[in-house]
Amino acid sequence: MVVVKILLYGVSHKTTPIEIRENYTIEEQKVPEQLAVIKSFSGVEEAVILSTCNRTEYYLYIDQDEFKHGDMLHYLSKHTGYEISEVISTSYGKSNQDAVDHLFKVATGLDSLIIGETQILSQVKQAFALAIEQKTSGPILNSLFNKAISFSKKMHTKTNLDQLSYNPGTAAVKLCKEEWETITDKRFLLIGTGKMIRLTAKTLFYQGVTHITLTGRNEQKVNDLAHELNLWAQNSKKADQLTRYFFTADFNHLPMSLAVADGIIAATKAQHYLVTERIIEEVATIRLTKKRQLFMDLAVPRNIEPSIQYREDIQVFDMDQISFRLDEVDADKDKIVKKILADLSEEVADFKQWYQERKAVPYLQELALQTIEIKEDTLASLERKLPELTEHQLLLIDKHLQSVINQMKRKPIDSLKEFARKKSSNDPKDTKNELKSFARALGFSVEIENTEESPEVLAIESEEISIERN
């Protein structure tokens, strides 16, 4: 019998085509509401939702005796509009170590559409921060997400994976170059004002494109972004001739803007198509040339109606198609990924060990309280019997007394943690009782009811012993 505690429900570009995946997406402003709904389900103790253009994932920490999988399946069915059987066939589920391993890969960019891209790390951090803000994450998921984020930062610092990878925006620009051979003479229209569009605009600038137009539904944001980018371009070494590279266009006149563009890259949070068949029909009456146009749709749900790709002189790439075209991992990146996976396995094993050792937390807490009481009583007795002791002398005695206590605690702490890690029974209740009996043999009296109250005890005890050993 396996104790299921950490669960993951999700869809991603690896398992689910975009036309299905987009039905799982969550509007940014609705994530807090959905966190609250899921947290209200029986047995759900903690929850984090990760929603990006390429994945929607629900990380849960549950009480397996109370939790009902049917609650999540009904919720996903209502959210997507699919029957429960369709939810089961279109999504994936992972538990415990598999879920932990998956999050580490996601945060590091190893599960991304573009291997090694760094935008996902900021998205994981934002998802975690929101769960903290909404008070839906707790000791277990806090530890899991903190460790995954820390590991990702370390790997991107330790390796040069960043230099070998593309974010979706740079990938779209690279694909444009492959299609046209050169893009310096092309006119680009960027639809949106988010981080993806900002990165894409800068990539186009670095590639020598001199005419980049921005448009979007929020005119003020478009103007602000264009101003920001032009200041950035003027301060760069490449801006030695032109003082303006980035222009703006009225979104209300989108057909006109599309008509004069060669490449169109869209990345907005709109829940419906912004570039439709009807708009393209209007563009056809305006556009003076029959030169091929490339449409890059970086959004999920998609911003560009897929059916326009069947029109003459138009080619449309969505995120799945961009991934398929650029899915060529070179030898250097392959070596780096293998090294990261080896380190990742160690990190996941460390988390598993931490998780198992949590069963010993009540006893470690009792030990900490006992030693604090003993030390305080001893110091108080010394002060009464030796009133001539100076403050400096008392501090020295305190320090050495703590050193002795730490050395004496080392064996019981290590023994409790080692026993907690052992799987001595297939029944978790038997395992808990065996740990209780072992703790009593060491002189502890606490009843093990809730190991979630003081997760920091493990870290504190480990730190004390580490300092003492050094």
Side-chain angles (χ1 to χ4, degrees), residues 188-198 200-201 204 212-218 222 225 247 249-251 253-255 257-258 261 263-270 272-276 279-280 294-299 303-304 308:
F188 279 84
L189 176 68
L190 307 186
I191 305 175
T193 56
K195 184 176 181 180
M196 189 80 74
I197 289 296
R198 181 181 280 101
T200 304
L204 288 169
I212 305 165
T213 300
L214 307 175
T215 191
R217 294 169 294 170
N218 188 315
V222 171
L225 179 57
F247 304 85
D250 188 344
F251 188 75
H253 301 298
L254 183 58
S257 301
L258 291 169
I264 297 90
I265 301 177
T268 81
K269 295 177 181 177
H272 56 275
Y273 298 133
L274 299 180
V275 180
T276 63
I279 288 177
I280 292 301
L294 294 182
F295 286 77
M296 301 285 174
D297 194 344
L298 307 184
N303 292 163
I304 299 170
I308 74 169

Side-chain angles (χ1 to χ4, degrees), residues 32-41 75:
E33 175 188 337
Q34 295 204 16
L35 278 170
V37 170
I38 292 170
K39 182 68 164 56
S40 71
F41 292 160
Y75 162 78

Side-chain angles (χ1 to χ4, degrees), residues 7 50 80 154 198 201 213 287 404 412:
L7 297 181
L50 175 60
T80 61
K154 183 170 68 176
R198 181 181 280 101
T213 300
R287 188 165 167 80
V404 171

Side-chain angles (χ1 to χ4, degrees), residues 6-24:
I6 300 173
L7 297 181
L8 163 63
Y9 297 83
V11 294
S12 77
H13 63 96
K14 283 195 169 183
T15 61
T16 313
I18 193 168
E19 58 269 19
I20 295 176
R21 196 166 73 241
E22 58 192 2
N23 291 310
Y24 281 85

Side-chain angles (χ1 to χ4, degrees), residues 172-416:
V173 174
K174 183 175 186 291
L175 187 50
C176 286
K177 287 183 68 176
E178 290 184 359
E179 290 291 323
W180 278 322
E181 294 186 1
T182 179
I183 59 174
T184 55
D185 60 338
K186 305 299 181 184
R187 290 172 172 261
F188 279 84
L189 176 68
L190 307 186
I191 305 175
T193 56
K195 184 176 181 180
M196 189 80 74
I197 289 296
R198 181 181 280 101
L199 290 171
T200 304
K202 290 184 176 182
T203 302
L204 288 169
F205 173 80
Y206 279 129
Q207 293 296 326
V209 179
T210 58
H211 199 290
I212 305 165
T213 300
L214 307 175
T215 191
R217 294 169 294 170
N218 188 315
E219 183 179 1
Q220 186 59 53
K221 286 186 177 181
V222 171
N223 291 333
D224 290 346
L225 179 57
H227 179 68
E228 172 196 326
L229 290 170
N230 278 312
L231 287 178
W232 167 80
Q234 289 163 18
N235 291 328
S236 75
K237 295 180 180 179
K238 288 195 173 186
D240 52 0
Q241 294 180 347
L242 299 178
T243 58
R244 190 179 182 200
Y245 281 84
F246 302 94
F247 304 85
T248 62
D250 188 344
F251 188 75
N252 293 320
H253 301 298
L254 183 58
M256 182 63 72
S257 301
L258 291 169
V260 296
D262 299 302
I264 297 90
I265 301 177
T268 81
K269 295 177 181 177
Q271 299 298 301
H272 56 275
Y273 298 133
L274 299 180
V275 180
T276 63
E277 277 273 12
R278 184 186 61 77
I279 288 177
I280 292 301
E281 287 174 4
E282 190 173 343
V283 170
T285 65
I286 304 171
R287 188 165 167 80
L288 300 177
T289 176
K290 292 297 183 182
K291 289 183 180 178
R292 184 166 60 115
Q293 286 182 299
L294 294 182
F295 286 77
M296 301 285 174
D297 194 344
L298 307 184
V300 181
R302 288 169 288 184
N303 292 163
I304 299 170
E305 192 167 3
S307 58
I308 74 169
Q309 66 187 312
Y310 301 114
R311 299 182 70 93
E312 189 178 0
D313 302 320
I314 285 181
Q315 193 164 3
V316 180
F317 293 91
D318 60 31
M319 289 295 281
D320 288 357
Q321 292 163 325
I322 291 172
S323 173
F324 180 76
R325 288 290 299 270
L326 298 177
D327 190 19
E328 298 175 356
V329 181
D330 59 291
D332 289 338
K333 182 183 286 189
D334 194 35
K335 290 178 183 177
I336 292 172
V337 169
K338 286 180 180 178
K339 175 65 172 67
I340 291 175
L341 286 174
D343 290 350
L344 188 149
S345 296
E346 294 181 11
E347 291 286 337
V348 171
D350 287 345
F351 178 83
K352 180 182 178 182
Q353 178 174 312
W354 173 86
Y355 183 75
Q356 291 172 325
E357 290 174 353
R358 286 178 54 78
K359 294 193 290 290
V361 164
Y363 307 118
L364 297 179
Q365 188 175 37
E366 181 181 347
L367 179 59
L369 292 173
Q370 286 177 353
T371 55
I372 289 173
E373 184 178 352
I374 290 171
K375 188 179 78 167
E376 289 178 348
D377 288 347
T378 302
L379 288 173
S381 176
L382 284 172
E383 285 188 77
R384 287 194 305 271
K385 295 176 180 178
L386 300 171
E388 69 276 11
L389 288 173
T390 66
E391 184 176 347
H392 176 66
Q393 289 171 329
L394 284 171
L395 286 173
L396 284 176
I397 292 172
D398 186 312
K399 180 180 178 180
H400 285 284
L401 189 56
Q402 185 63 54
S403 177
V404 171
I405 288 173
N406 287 345
Q407 291 181 61
M408 293 181 68
K409 287 196 301 181
R410 186 182 303 162
K411 276 195 174 181
I413 287 174
D414 286 345
S415 297
L416 281 167

